Amino acid sequence: MFKIINLSKLNSITVFLGFTAMIVILSISINTFYWSDDYAFMVKLNQKGVLENCIYGYNTWDGRFLTLAAFFQGFLLHYVKIEVVTFFWTITFVLSCFFLVKILQQELKIKTNKQVFFWFLLTTIFWLGCYQHFSETVYWGTGGIYSLDLLLGAIWIYCYSKLNVNDFTISKKIYFILFSFIVGATTQNLTIALLSLIFIDIIINFLKKEKQTIGFYSLLFIVVFGGMLFISLAPGNFTRIEKTGISSIDLSFLSLIKGFLQVGFAYAKISIVLILLSIIVAVGMVLIIMPNAKLTTKSLIFFPRNKILFIKFLSDYKWLFVSLSTILPFIIAPGLAFPRTALFFMYFLLLFIITFVYKLFSIDEKQIVSTNFKAISVNIMFSFIFIIAIGFGVYNFIKGTELKKFISSREQLLQKSKGKTVTLKLVNPEMESSCYDITDLSFIENEKVAWRRLRLEEYYKVKKIIVEE
C-alpha cells in the first residue's frame, strides 16, 4: 500500500494543510467584537488618552497598565477596529510558536529544512490545546495582551538561548539588559518563569564552575526581577487588593501547598488536549529528523545521585520547572488563576514535552528501517491533525458569523439611542463557541456584574439599558 503513495506529493499536501490551518486560525479574527472589559477600557481611553490611562491604571488598579504591552493594548483599542486588534493579537500568538521552533532548534541543536513546517505544526497543536481560553487570550481586544506578553517572553528566551552559545558584544548585552527589564515588567506569572530559567542556569554554571558567566546571569536575574517589582509594587495593586478583598489570605505553608496543588491541577486539566497532541507530535518530529532513532528511556529517567547527574537532571527538566513556576503567583489566591492565565504554563509545558520526548531517542546506526514507511505514516498523522484544526476553525467561524450579526445589530441600536432608555436581549448561548465565547450582560444584576451594563451605557451615552432574556 505504502509503495504506491508518492511521498513528495504527500509532503506537499501536508504542508498545504498546515498552511490552510494557519489561515483559518488567523481568519477567526474577522468575526470578533467588543465585549466586557473592552468597553471599560475604551471609556477611560476616550477620557484620558493612551499614555495618561496607562499611568492612571498603574496608580489606581494594576501595575501591568504601565508596560509596553499595555501601551500597545490601549493604542489598538483606542485607534483601531476590533477585528484588526484581534488579528494583531493572533499574529503575536502565531509568532510565539515561530520562536518556539527557534528555541527548540537552539536547545536540541536541530538542523532541519522543515522549520516552516514545524512552525505550522506547533502553532496548530498549541492553538488546539488552548481551546478553553483562546477566546480570551487571542480573540479578545482586552485579553489579547496575553499573547503579546507571550511573544515578548518567547523572543527574550530565544535571545537568551543564543547568549548561552554566542558571545554577545557589549552593546548587544546592554540592549538585552534593557529588553530584559521590559519583559520582566509584563505579567508576574511570565516573569517568574523567566526568573526560574535564569536561576536554574546559574545553578548549572555554578556546579560546572563556569564563574565567568554567573555574574552576567545574576545581573539579568536582578534586572528581570526589577521589572517584576515595578509592576508588583504599583500603588494600584494595593487599591485593587482592598477593593476585591484579597487582603484576607492565609500565608501558612499548608495553605500555600494547597494553593499550588489546586492551581496546578486546574492548569493540568486545561492542558490535557495539549499534552496528548504534544506527545504525538514530538514522536512524529523525531521520526522526521532522525528516521533511525532508537528509544533510550534510561537517558532521562534516573536519580541525580551526584553532581554530574544533577546537572543533567536540571538541564533535562528545566522547562518543566519553568512551566510549574508560572503557578506560584496564584498560590496565595487560587481564585485569581483564571483559565487565560494558564497560557504561559501551557507554552512552557509544550516546550518541555517536545524536548523531553526528543531526548528519549538516539540515532541507531545499526537499525535498518523503511524511512519511506515512517515518513508516510507521520505525514498522514500530521495531516489528520491539520484537518481537525481546519474543521474546528471553520465550525467556529460559521458560528461566529451568526454571533457577529447579533452583536453588530445591538451596537447599531445603542448608537441610535444616545440619551434614551434602550432594551437589549441577552446573547443566546447557542450562538457562542470556543473561539467566540462572551461574558454578556446579566438579567439578574449584583455588584459584581453591574459594571458591564454601566460601562456600556457610558460608552454609548445611553440613559439606561434594560436587559431582557
Side-chain angles (χ1 to χ4, degrees), residues 49 261 338 383 427:
L261 293 175
F338 302 110
S383 295
V427 171

Side-chain angles (χ1 to χ4, degrees), residues 54-178:
C54 287
I55 298 171
Y56 174 80
Y58 182 84
N59 288 313
T60 60
W61 189 249
D62 194 320
R64 293 175 297 176
F65 267 89
L66 198 56
T67 63
L68 179 65
F71 181 84
F72 272 103
Q73 178 196 49
F75 179 86
L76 291 172
L77 284 172
H78 193 45
Y79 293 108
V80 182
K81 291 179 62 176
I82 185 61
E83 297 85 355
V84 180
V85 175
T86 51
F87 182 75
F88 177 80
W89 298 142
T90 313
I91 291 285
T92 63
F93 179 87
V94 169
L95 287 177
S96 297
C97 295
F98 172 78
F99 280 98
L100 178 65
V101 176
K102 302 288 284 184
I103 294 165
L104 286 169
Q105 283 187 288
Q106 194 72 37
E107 180 82 9
L108 300 172
K109 298 178 175 59
I110 298 173
K111 293 182 180 179
T112 177
N113 59 356
K114 294 185 177 292
Q115 180 174 290
V116 173
F117 174 72
F118 287 152
W119 175 28
F120 293 168
L121 184 62
L122 293 182
T123 300
T124 301
I125 66 165
F126 190 49
W127 182 76
L128 285 171
C130 293
Y131 79 97
Q132 291 198 46
H133 60 69
F134 57 30
S135 64
E136 297 183 8
T137 52
V138 183
Y139 304 115
W140 182 25
T142 298
I145 191 175
Y146 280 87
S147 288
L148 178 55
D149 286 338
L150 180 62
L151 175 59
L152 291 173
I155 294 172
W156 185 92
I157 292 170
Y158 173 65
C159 295
Y160 177 79
S161 67
K162 296 279 285 184
L163 183 69
N164 287 331
V165 178
N166 303 322
D167 292 329
F168 275 27
T169 62
I170 297 296
S171 59
K172 285 183 179 180
K173 286 183 178 180
I174 292 172
Y175 291 142
F176 187 62
I177 287 171
L178 293 174

Side-chain angles (χ1 to χ4, degrees), residues 115-340:
Q115 180 174 290
V116 173
F117 174 72
F118 287 152
W119 175 28
F120 293 168
L121 184 62
L122 293 182
T123 300
T124 301
I125 66 165
F126 190 49
W127 182 76
L128 285 171
C130 293
Y131 79 97
Q132 291 198 46
H133 60 69
F134 57 30
S135 64
E136 297 183 8
T137 52
V138 183
Y139 304 115
W140 182 25
T142 298
I145 191 175
Y146 280 87
S147 288
L148 178 55
D149 286 338
L150 180 62
L151 175 59
L152 291 173
I155 294 172
W156 185 92
I157 292 170
Y158 173 65
C159 295
Y160 177 79
S161 67
K162 296 279 285 184
L163 183 69
N164 287 331
V165 178
N166 303 322
D167 292 329
F168 275 27
T169 62
I170 297 296
S171 59
K172 285 183 179 180
K173 286 183 178 180
I174 292 172
Y175 291 142
F176 187 62
I177 287 171
L178 293 174
F179 182 54
S180 296
F181 181 83
I182 291 171
V183 178
T186 49
T187 185
Q188 286 86 349
N189 59 325
L190 171 60
T191 305
I192 202 164
L194 306 184
L195 290 172
S196 299
L197 177 61
I198 300 171
F199 182 69
I200 291 170
D201 280 336
I202 288 175
I203 294 175
I204 291 174
N205 288 331
F206 176 78
L207 294 174
K208 288 182 176 180
K209 296 183 179 179
E210 296 179 356
K211 297 180 181 179
Q212 68 275 13
T213 59
I214 293 177
F216 186 65
Y217 285 151
S218 299
L219 176 61
L220 281 179
F221 186 93
I222 293 170
V223 171
V224 174
F225 186 73
M228 187 171 72
L229 285 180
F230 177 75
I231 59 174
S232 299
L233 298 180
N237 290 345
F238 301 99
T239 302
R240 185 177 185 179
I241 287 173
E242 291 179 7
K243 290 184 177 180
T244 55
I246 305 174
S247 53
S248 55
I249 54 178
D250 185 358
L251 294 177
S252 66
F253 179 75
L254 186 61
S255 176
L256 295 178
I257 293 297
K258 182 181 176 182
F260 182 87
L261 293 175
Q262 183 179 338
V263 178
F265 178 77
Y267 278 6
K269 187 177 178 181
I270 291 172
S271 305
I272 289 175
V273 171
L274 180 66
I275 292 170
L276 294 175
L277 288 174
S278 301
I279 294 171
I280 293 170
V281 165
V283 174
M285 289 174 65
V286 169
L287 295 178
I288 289 178
I289 299 169
M290 299 187 296
N292 294 335
K294 179 182 178 181
L295 187 64
T296 55
T297 55
K298 291 182 180 179
S299 64
L300 286 179
I301 302 174
F302 58 88
F303 182 77
R305 58 185 178 275
N306 56 47
K307 184 172 75 172
I308 294 175
L309 288 178
F310 186 61
I311 292 172
K312 179 173 172 52
F313 174 77
L314 289 177
S315 299
D316 291 340
Y317 289 86
K318 68 178 179 181
W319 295 116
L320 177 61
F321 297 137
V322 170
S323 178
L324 293 173
S325 71
T326 63
I327 297 171
L328 295 178
F330 303 106
I331 61 176
I332 61 173
L336 294 180
F338 302 110
R340 60 179 175 267

Side-chain angles (χ1 to χ4, degrees), residues 23-41:
I23 296 299
V24 170
I25 290 169
L26 292 168
S27 66
I28 299 295
S29 58
I30 292 174
N31 289 326
T32 50
F33 43 82
Y34 297 111
W35 60 280
S36 192
D37 293 39
D38 293 341
Y39 291 109
F41 266 86

